[in-house]
């Protein structure tokens, strides 16, 4: 199934498509979270990454965020951005260690 078809089915809340979506993009989301945290010098634990990872997928499902994707065939790029942003938001909301020079 193409990315475009998969995302379209996920938007329609197809549970089988959603399962495939999570399996297909789980590694990418995990990588994007860890990459952003390393890039910005956050002090994090593996538990933080796991929680953020779960938050990304819950947010996509519960808040229908996949409907915001403008180019369904570029879902991977969009997920990298969303995942990185979720990582930063998580640390800000938890008032955890911010990277040097960050505005709190």
């Amino acid at each position: 199934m193409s990315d475009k078809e998969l995302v379209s089915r996920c938007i329609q809340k197809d549970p089988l498509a959603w399962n495939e979506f999570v399996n297909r993009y789980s590694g990418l989301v995990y990588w994007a979270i860890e990459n952003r945290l390393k890039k910005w010098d956050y002090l994090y634990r593996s538990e933080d990454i796991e929680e953020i990872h779960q938050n990304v997928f819950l947010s996509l499902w519960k808040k229908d965020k996949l409907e915001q994707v403008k180019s369904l065939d570029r879902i991977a790029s969009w997920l990298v951005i969303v995942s990185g942003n979720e990582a930063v938001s998580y640390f800000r909301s938890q008032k955890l260690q911010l990277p040097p020079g960050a505005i709190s």
Side-chain angles (χ1 to χ4, degrees):
M1 173 179 337
S2 73
D3 290 346
K4 191 172 186 175
E5 183 181 355
L6 180 61
V7 173
S8 294
R9 288 179 53 195
C10 287
I11 289 170
Q12 296 169 10
K13 300 289 189 186
D14 178 333
L16 293 176
W18 180 252
N19 213 16
E20 184 176 335
F21 181 84
V22 171
N23 287 331
R24 187 178 295 185
Y25 293 110
S26 186
L28 176 67
V29 168
Y30 192 94
W31 172 85
I33 293 164
E34 189 171 34
N35 186 54
R36 175 69 65 90
L37 295 177
K38 283 180 180 179
K39 182 178 178 181
W40 287 43
D41 293 324
Y42 278 97
L43 297 177
Y44 63 90
R45 302 165 301 162
S46 60
E47 294 85 14
D48 295 322
I49 294 176
E50 292 297 329
E51 187 167 345
I52 297 164
H53 184 266
Q54 184 176 12
N55 289 348
V56 168
F57 286 105
L58 282 173
S59 179
L60 293 176
W61 177 264
K62 287 184 176 183
K63 297 179 181 178
D64 297 320
K65 285 192 172 184
L66 288 175
E67 291 179 6
Q68 298 173 5
V69 179
K70 293 179 181 164
S71 181
L72 296 182
D73 55 342
R74 300 203 56 202
I75 187 68
S77 300
W78 184 83
L79 278 172
V80 167
I81 293 166
V82 168
S83 300
N85 290 344
E86 182 66 32
V88 173
S89 294
Y90 171 83
F91 272 78
R92 285 187 176 152
S93 71
Q94 300 294 319
K95 297 191 184 344
L96 298 173
Q97 181 267 335
L98 296 175
I103 299 171
S104 54

